Amino acid sequence: MGRESGWRWRVAAWWAVVAVAVGGAGAGLLESNPGLAYNFYQTTCPSVDSIVRSVTWAQVAANPALPGRLLRLHFHDCFVQGCDASILLDNAQSEKTAPPNLSVGGYEVIDAIKTQLEQACPGVVSCADIVALAARDAASYQYKASLWQVETGRRDGPASLASNTGALPSPFAGFNGLLQSFAARGLNLTDLVVLSGAHTIGKASCSSVTPRLYQGNSTNVDPLLDSAYASRLMSSCPNPSPSSATVDLDGTTPLSFDNSYYINLQNKQGALASDTALTQNAAAAQIVADLTNPTKFYAAFSMSMKKMGRIDVLAGSKGQIRKQCRAVNTS
């Protein structure tokens, strides 16, 4: 069996167990569908999936950092006002100008996809759906097969305010703060642990990590960090660190979308305080242990992503279909 065929077989196996309950607390879907559907554009824009996949995969092939950026873009969109593409807007004091979003990227991929979709199906596909599809396709690129299904039918929001970004979970948050932040969006404990697994790819700014390593001019390592791993973090994030300095969220396989994040957590190698917090609660730590099984991780991630993708969506006649993702329609 060739390598690509092997990955395709594994993807099929993950879908076969997509209903697996993780840690006894399943990441069940929202009971009421907010108006989304699979193949929403089947008659109005049947090429949407192939266009999004083609553009995304081409860009990821040229820039391996994009999967982490596009996943983060999707999360940061959905956690503020719901999955309405409000993070894409370029108006004054928009969400993307807020401190938690200054390091968010991937906007150019969304723009490129939108350009092609407007040529193929003018005024049909929302930017909010493009964000959701691109995040999935970017993470799936290494397997050349979709890791989860994406419901579509979202519409775009008309406003974006930096002041609303307080809903985003903090990298410094403790367990209770994280749980409250997720609960406010309709997500449960399992969703919290499962969606944190997105930190298997991507980078964190050193400013999010250095409080665990230094106090003032002195070294003061968080005792919850493995000492050898802390030394590696200090190599990437000296004191002081340049404002542009970053560190891999997953120090083991930083460019691979896999379940190594959970193995790292068990080895006291979570980069952020919010990562380590998942090991400080018994129920969360049990889910972490369960997700060291890759089949359980992929199945659970699929379910929690679908659930997150339903947060406060605009559907039906609400919102609009933007002509350009960075600006609301004026007519």
Side-chain angles (χ1 to χ4, degrees):
M1 180 182 293
R3 183 173 183 181
E4 183 170 326
S5 296
W7 283 125
R8 290 183 182 276
W9 180 88
R10 288 179 176 85
V11 171
W14 302 331
W15 281 116
V17 294
V18 75
V20 169
V22 180
L29 306 178
L30 295 177
E31 292 184 4
S32 58
N33 188 304
L36 306 181
Y38 295 122
N39 300 317
F40 179 85
Y41 300 107
Q42 186 171 6
T43 58
T44 56
C45 191
S47 59
V48 59
D49 287 327
S50 61
I51 290 175
V52 175
R53 184 184 308 112
S54 175
V55 175
T56 302
W57 283 9
Q59 298 230 14
V60 171
N63 184 355
L66 282 174
R69 293 176 183 173
L70 289 167
L71 267 179
R72 189 167 182 236
L73 180 67
H74 187 27
F75 288 145
H76 280 226
D77 181 39
C78 289
F79 264 78
V80 181
Q81 295 188 167
C83 310
D84 66 348
S86 54
I87 194 172
L88 305 180
L89 292 174
D90 277 341
N91 57 275
Q93 299 180 333
S94 66
E95 290 172 29
K96 63 172 61 173
T97 68
N101 287 334
L102 293 178
S103 58
V104 172
Y107 300 110
E108 71 283 359
V109 181
I110 306 304
D111 291 338
I113 294 169
K114 182 63 171 175
T115 296
Q116 289 205 18
L117 285 173
E118 284 300 301
Q119 293 173 352
C121 319
V124 173
V125 181
S126 70
C127 300
D129 279 343
I130 293 172
V131 170
L133 290 166
R136 187 271 311 276
D137 289 341
S140 301
Y141 170 73
Q142 72 187 86
Y143 301 109
K144 300 300 189 292
S146 296
L147 290 180
W148 63 89
Q149 293 178 295
V150 176
E151 294 178 313
T152 46
R154 300 169 190 80
R155 290 169 66 85
D156 301 323
S160 180
L161 294 172
S163 57
N164 289 334
T165 58
L168 290 168
S170 167
F172 310 111
F175 176 76
N176 288 335
L178 290 170
L179 194 61
Q180 291 170 7
S181 178
F182 274 65
R185 313 311 295 161
L187 302 171
N188 61 25
L189 170 62
T190 300
D191 301 317
L192 164 59
V193 181
V194 170
L195 293 174
S196 294
H199 287 176
T200 187
I201 52 177
K203 293 181 177 290
S205 62
C206 281
S207 61
S208 298
V209 177
T210 50
R212 308 187 71 193
L213 304 173
Y214 312 106
Q215 186 173 42
N217 295 322
S218 303
T219 298
N220 186 26
V221 176
D222 185 338
L224 296 177
L225 281 173
D226 172 74
S227 58
Y229 178 62
S231 295
R232 287 162 51 198
L233 289 178
M234 286 188 283
S235 296
S236 298
C237 299
N239 188 23
S241 293
S243 59
S244 60
T246 61
V247 64
D248 291 323
L249 284 164
D250 179 343
T252 307
T253 56
L255 295 177
S256 179
F257 188 84
D258 55 28
N259 69 320
S260 63
Y261 169 81
Y262 300 101
I263 299 169
N264 294 342
L265 290 187
Q266 291 190 317
N267 292 329
K268 301 173 67 175
Q269 296 180 12
L272 303 176
S274 58
D275 294 325
T276 299
L278 303 181
T279 66
Q280 303 305 297
N281 170 273
Q286 181 57 58
I287 299 173
V288 168
D290 288 343
L291 295 175
T292 60
N293 178 316
T295 302
K296 288 187 177 182
F297 166 62
Y298 290 112
F301 197 81
S302 169
M303 297 168 74
S304 288
M305 284 296 289
K306 181 176 178 180
K307 189 173 178 182
M308 187 191 77
R310 290 180 167 185
I311 295 175
D312 293 340
V313 299
L314 301 174
S317 60
K318 298 179 180 178
Q320 60 182 218
I321 305 297
R322 290 186 208 139
K323 298 174 183 178
Q324 295 183 357
C325 289
R326 294 173 181 259
V328 296
N329 299 341
T330 55
S331 60

